[in-house]
Amino acid sequence: MTQTAAITLYQPMLQAIALNLVGSIHDAEDIVQDTFLKWLTIDNRRIENTKAYLVKSVTNNCINHLNALKAKNKISLDHLNLKDLFEKIDLSHLDIKHEVSVALSLISKKLGPLEKAIFLLREVFDVEYDDLQEIFNKKKEHCRQVVCRAKQKLMEDTPIISIPVESPATLIKSFKRACSIGHLQELIDHLRPSSK
């Protein structure tokens, strides 16, 4: 992965981590930028896991920033209580949320509306081909071919086609509701090409 691709991929997640730790968007942006600048100056071949390295670096830089604030304002470490701060912040959702967002964005950019709809319902929610036939008024064989072609397109390392894409936020919202509640109707309505 190139350095530019890594920055594009990990910047939103690192920004969210820094913001949760320091509580200031301006400070969080500065910390993430400083982390990337330092990372760009070192020999990256020695780093086995770029993501883990960057998360650790941002976390350490946030701690250093908070300690600098503490020293500047002469606040005692006990009063700031960093341990409690870290225990209260749940960062587990950030990584998965970011990865789902990136995946849905890639699917939206590489697949047409019908391909995206059939692929998501079949591969993510395991909707049977009989049901897909009824939902989209397409033959089962056609739905199978659409899923097969969609997989091939997603595996190819070709330039992303430029298709006007709806707001990813609305797709992500209906996708999350389908995953958490288990009701697919809102997602199906959102994905149906005729409903757009």
Side-chain angles (χ1 to χ4, degrees):
M1 177 186 308
T2 67
Q3 291 176 329
T4 304
I7 290 171
T8 303
L9 181 63
Y10 299 132
Q11 190 274 339
M13 178 186 63
L14 296 174
Q15 187 80 32
I17 290 170
L19 180 60
N20 277 316
L21 292 175
V22 299
S24 162
I25 187 92
H26 178 71
D27 291 343
E29 289 172 352
D30 289 346
I31 289 168
V32 171
Q33 182 178 1
D34 291 344
T35 300
F36 279 127
L37 288 174
K38 182 178 178 192
W39 174 68
L40 290 170
T41 63
I42 62 173
D43 183 10
N44 291 323
R45 292 176 292 183
R46 297 182 329 187
I47 300 172
E48 292 180 26
N49 186 334
T50 301
K51 180 177 166 184
Y53 175 86
L54 290 171
V55 169
K56 178 78 170 168
S57 296
V58 164
T59 303
N60 288 341
N61 290 340
C62 288
I63 291 171
N64 292 340
H65 174 76
L66 292 172
N67 283 333
L69 285 177
K70 172 192 65 92
K72 183 178 177 182
N73 295 323
K74 298 189 182 350
I75 301 172
S76 71
L77 186 59
D78 292 335
H79 181 68
L80 191 56
N81 205 350
L82 290 176
K83 183 180 177 188
D84 286 346
L85 177 67
F86 286 116
E87 287 175 357
K88 289 179 184 175
I89 298 174
D90 178 21
L91 301 176
S92 62
H93 68 284
L94 292 176
D95 199 27
I96 189 72
K97 184 176 180 181
H98 174 69
E99 289 177 14
V100 167
S101 176
V102 168
L104 287 175
S105 177
L106 179 67
I107 287 170
S108 291
K109 289 176 183 173
K110 283 192 133 183
L111 302 180
L114 181 65
E115 289 174 313
K116 175 179 66 174
I118 293 175
F119 177 80
L120 280 176
L121 292 175
R122 176 67 189 150
E123 293 298 307
V124 178
F125 296 101
D126 203 26
V127 174
E128 296 296 330
Y129 284 108
D130 290 330
D131 297 327
L132 291 172
Q133 176 178 318
E134 187 176 321
I135 292 168
F136 296 104
N137 198 24
K138 303 285 182 189
K139 292 183 178 181
K140 287 192 295 189
E141 294 75 25
H142 181 75
C143 292
R144 281 191 183 91
Q145 289 175 348
V146 167
V147 170
C148 184
R149 282 193 304 265
K151 285 180 182 179
Q152 289 172 346
K153 283 184 180 180
L154 292 172
M155 295 299 286
E156 291 173 357
D157 194 21
T158 56
I160 295 173
I161 57 175
S162 180
I163 297 175
V165 178
E166 75 282 349
S167 168
T170 56
L171 175 60
I172 291 170
K173 182 181 175 185
S174 61
F175 181 81
K176 279 173 47 178
R177 286 180 49 80
C179 289
S180 62
I181 300 173
H183 298 294
L184 296 177
Q185 192 57 51
E186 181 182 342
L187 180 63
I188 290 169
D189 292 342
H190 181 84
L191 291 171
R192 264 197 190 117
S194 60
S195 67
K196 293 180 181 173

